[in-house]
Amino acid sequence: MVQRKTQTPTYWQQQFVVDADDIEYLYSLLLEKNQPQPTDNLALAVVKRHCQEEELAIRAELQRGALYQPKDSYQVGDQLVFPRVDYAAATIVEQRPGNNPQFGDFTVLQVEFEGNGGVREFVAKFPHPHPLNLDEGQSLAEAEGLASPQTLYDLYREYVNSKLTMALGDNEEFVYFRGDWFLKGLLIPIHDGHLNIAEAAIDIDDKPLPVDALLDNLDMPADVPIETQSISINFALDADERFENVGPKGQVLWYLRRLEPPEVTQVPLQLQTAEWPFELDGFDSELRRLLGEMDDEAIDPALTRPPIPDAETVVVTLNYPHRAAGTLPITAKTVHFFPEADDHHIRISFVDKRSGDRIPGWVVSEGKYVYGLGQWYTENQLPAGAYVSLYGTDDPLTVMVDYQSVRLKREWIRVAVIRGKQLSFQMLKQPITCEYDELMVIGVSDPDAIDAFWISPEQQQKPLLNLMRQIFPELTKINPQGAVHAKTLYSAVNVVRRCPPGPIFYQLSTQACFIPMGHGYWTYDPSIEM
């Protein structure tokens, strides 16, 4: 049997269009159901409709004559329908005996197709197996082995959904919110009073609220389905600049833009990373290993060590940019602790593992960071280089945080200071309350001076290599061995310039002035020019 057009990839991938009849059909469907429908439901309905239309067209053609089967006998003047000629109808105008040494006797029909179809010949009274013959009691659909509309939709969902979304989006009769479609004419009118009440409810609770909680405060018509109420208020809030959805994928949580910290809509200055392409070819095995272990969201995940699947806790080494910005990186190691945003960012809660205090937090998936820990870092005196632990909870919007505490003591650590127009380092005794990475730990005596130095035009325009050549001697003079570890250099550079480790390691590997000493340590010869 010929394959129906709706059974072919070509139809759904290239020929399929959402026409006016489809739009009218979906309008009636939504009117009948009187509640929002997801794109998948409407798209499947359109696939079913196209399959049904083709079925009806075939049935109409079959009414015009007998279904041609090679095994049957026919007479001149009989009208037949031919599946392999797109179910076209034709009249038998002549027949004659046929013979083939392999198949024996049979009949040759000469048929004339309607319109300009011309005259063609087909066999009849052909007793041998043939794909156009139906078995006893077998239907045409069974012989064709048709895929169901659901199967077709599963195969071509991407193509159907894309065209349907475009067509409905261009039609002002339809409204859309987070995967659901509805008719604009069926929405409940939402006035300024409703919106003001919603704003007040969020303000009083001081947290994002689901639409159900907002509806409890609004006077909605009791005879209207809750689904219609929900999409009506959701659609109105989405169009109002005061409100923003800060829920994870699949969950709508409304919050007020004026209550959001600016760091969630604008990447903090300390986290803004320039594009510094580099090659791995010159990296030795130690640099490659370090690159794969470091907690930096700007490292290509393909270069990092695979995380432990579904780990219940991870430890992150805090670098200076995240310490200064009050953030943590979203990396392959930490990503499963944080839900993905439905829009741009999500409101979550951090819980201090020691005190149980809840700390408002924000997941900025696009920026690959979570914000909200600045005060917690300061209260616990955590320096850059501190180990921060994350713990999963039963609530996907809650993450527990902790640090590896030690008895308060004063220890000698590197401290960054600004002298004139240069970054310098000293070994100073600082109060320490936590475990830290000795290679990355850096204290800051005057954060405001560091911030001012960071944003200075001269500093921003300085090439990375020049910055490294200036910082390296500062680190060397406080190390009795006269060598600097690659992680230490990375940590120091990031006090005044956000830079992932890859470009820094690349300069170490390719510039002759940097000399490897083994085990990740390097020395510097200022006499060797660039």
Side-chain angles (χ1 to χ4, degrees):
M1 293 294 171
V2 68
Q3 192 173 31
R4 303 187 186 195
K5 63 181 181 181
T6 59
Q7 297 286 311
T8 65
T10 301
Y11 180 74
W12 297 109
Q13 295 175 359
Q14 301 176 20
Q15 300 171 350
F16 167 70
V17 294
V18 179
D19 56 27
D21 290 338
D22 290 323
I23 297 295
E24 183 178 353
Y25 173 70
L26 294 179
Y27 187 97
S28 300
L29 180 66
L30 286 170
L31 197 62
E32 176 188 351
K33 291 185 176 296
N34 194 28
Q35 64 182 34
Q37 295 294 313
T39 302
D40 284 345
N41 285 10
L42 298 184
L44 177 59
V46 169
V47 172
K48 289 180 178 179
R49 178 181 176 276
H50 279 244
C51 291
Q52 291 168 354
E53 288 291 314
E54 186 175 38
E55 177 68 22
L56 291 174
I58 290 173
R59 290 182 181 180
E61 291 297 328
L62 292 176
Q63 296 296 320
R64 302 174 62 187
L67 179 68
Y68 166 69
Q69 297 186 69
K71 66 182 180 180
D72 292 340
S73 300
Y74 304 100
Q75 301 296 322
V76 172
D78 287 349
Q79 191 164 18
L80 304 178
V81 174
F82 292 83
R84 282 205 170 166
V85 194
D86 201 18
Y87 295 91
T91 301
I92 300 175
V93 295
E94 183 180 327
Q95 58 179 330
R96 56 181 172 79
N99 182 270
N100 184 290
Q102 181 179 356
F103 297 109
D105 296 332
F106 55 88
T107 299
V108 177
L109 304 178
Q110 190 176 78
V111 301
E112 183 176 3
F113 285 91
E114 296 178 349
N116 297 321
V119 176
R120 296 176 60 178
E121 292 186 341
F122 296 85
V123 298
K125 297 179 67 175
F126 190 77
H128 304 284
H130 194 284
L132 293 181
N133 287 327
L134 298 180
D135 296 334
E136 189 68 28
Q138 186 183 29
S139 69
L140 181 59
E142 291 172 337
E144 291 179 291
L146 299 181
S148 69
Q150 181 66 63
T151 299
L152 293 172
Y153 178 60
D154 291 341
L155 288 171
Y156 309 113
R157 179 178 184 275
E158 175 185 353
Y159 302 96
V160 178
N161 281 14
S162 174
K163 293 182 179 180
L164 179 63
T165 298
M166 184 177 299
L168 294 183
D170 290 340
N171 192 305
E172 62 181 15
E173 297 290 343
F174 295 83
V175 295
Y176 175 82
F177 181 79
R178 300 297 181 276
D180 284 341
W181 294 92
F182 201 47
L183 298 177
K184 182 181 291 186
L186 296 181
L187 292 175
I188 302 172
I190 302 297
H191 52 69
D192 288 342
H194 290 125
L195 298 175
N196 292 338
I197 292 173
E199 181 180 17
I202 298 171
D203 224 340
I204 292 171
D205 279 65
D206 192 26
K207 66 180 181 181
L209 294 178
V211 68
D212 292 347
L214 295 177
L215 288 174
D216 290 341
N217 295 280
L218 304 176
D219 186 19
M220 294 286 106
D223 58 340
V224 176
I226 188 65
E227 294 84 2
T228 301
Q229 296 182 34
S230 295
I231 196 171
S232 298
I233 187 64
N234 278 334
F235 188 72
L237 293 176
D238 195 45
D240 192 304
E241 292 186 354
R242 288 173 290 177
F243 302 90
E244 186 164 31
N245 172 28
V246 295
K249 282 195 176 298
Q251 183 179 1
V252 176
L253 293 173
W254 291 107
Y255 200 55
L256 302 176
R257 293 181 189 272
R258 60 180 171 80
L259 299 181
E260 297 176 351
E263 289 83 0
V264 305
T265 55
Q266 176 66 38
V267 178
L269 176 64
Q270 296 91 340
L271 302 186
Q272 295 177 17
T273 306
E275 291 292 333
W276 279 308
F278 65 94
E279 301 292 337
L280 287 172
D281 295 344
F283 285 29
D284 60 25
S285 59
E286 181 64 11
L287 288 182
R288 288 174 180 263
R289 182 186 68 82
L290 293 174
L291 187 65
E293 293 179 352
M294 299 180 73
D295 299 313
D296 192 311
E297 74 279 5
I299 301 175
D300 185 342
L303 303 178
T304 62
R305 176 183 296 177
I308 301 174
D310 302 322
E312 295 182 359
T313 180
V314 297
V315 177
V316 177
T317 303
L318 187 63
N319 65 26
Y320 181 79
H322 284 285
R323 172 60 183 88
T327 55
L328 277 175
I330 297 178
T331 65
K333 185 167 70 174
T334 64
V335 66
H336 71 277
F337 286 87
F338 305 110
E340 186 178 356
D342 194 22
D343 279 339
H344 178 267
H345 48 268
I346 308 170
R347 168 71 179 270
I348 65 169
S349 291
F350 292 109
V351 174
D352 187 323
K353 191 172 186 293
R354 297 168 187 278
S355 67
D357 293 341
R358 299 184 74 86
I359 306 166
W362 297 87
V363 178
V364 185
S365 302
E366 184 177 323
K368 296 183 179 180
Y369 65 91
V370 290
Y371 173 80
L373 292 172
Q375 185 176 347
W376 184 75
Y377 291 154
T378 300
E379 290 176 349
N380 293 289
Q381 297 179 285
L382 303 186
Y387 295 129
V388 177
S389 300
L390 297 177
Y391 298 84
T393 70
D394 293 336
D395 181 358
L397 295 179
T398 300
V399 178
M400 191 171 292
V401 292
D402 196 10
Y403 63 96
Q404 300 174 20
S405 65
V406 297
R407 190 172 182 177
L408 179 61
K409 56 184 176 179
R410 299 182 69 83
E411 292 187 357
W412 293 97
I413 66 170
R414 285 176 295 274
V415 176
V417 295
I418 301 298
R419 288 183 172 174
K421 294 184 178 181
Q422 287 194 352
L423 175 67
S424 182
F425 292 90
Q426 298 177 345
M427 293 297 292
L428 298 175
K429 273 197 169 185
Q430 298 290 294
I432 296 297
T433 62
C434 64
E435 296 285 356
Y436 55 84
D437 185 334
E438 294 185 357
L439 295 173
M440 287 191 57
V441 65
I442 291 180
V444 174
S445 60
D446 188 348
D448 291 339
I450 294 292
D451 290 345
F453 188 73
W454 189 300
I455 63 176
S456 64
E458 179 182 354
Q459 173 60 26
Q460 289 297 312
Q461 295 169 9
K462 183 178 294 185
L464 175 60
L465 178 57
N466 291 359
L467 179 61
M468 291 172 58
R469 289 172 66 99
Q470 183 263 310
I471 288 178
F472 209 108
E474 292 292 325
L475 296 173
T476 302
K477 73 182 182 182
I478 60 174
N479 187 337
Q481 286 74 37
V484 176
H485 196 276
K487 288 175 65 175
T488 305
L489 182 62
Y490 157 78
S491 187
V493 167
N494 275 267
V495 172
V496 291
R497 175 78 61 81
R498 179 70 183 101
C499 182
I504 296 173
F505 293 175
Y506 177 74
Q507 296 294 339
L508 286 176
S509 302
T510 58
Q511 298 298 325
C513 58
F514 301 117
I515 304 166
M517 303 298 291
H519 304 289
Y521 284 91
W522 297 71
T523 60
Y524 170 65
D525 186 346
S527 66
I528 301 178
E529 296 295 330
M530 293 178 284

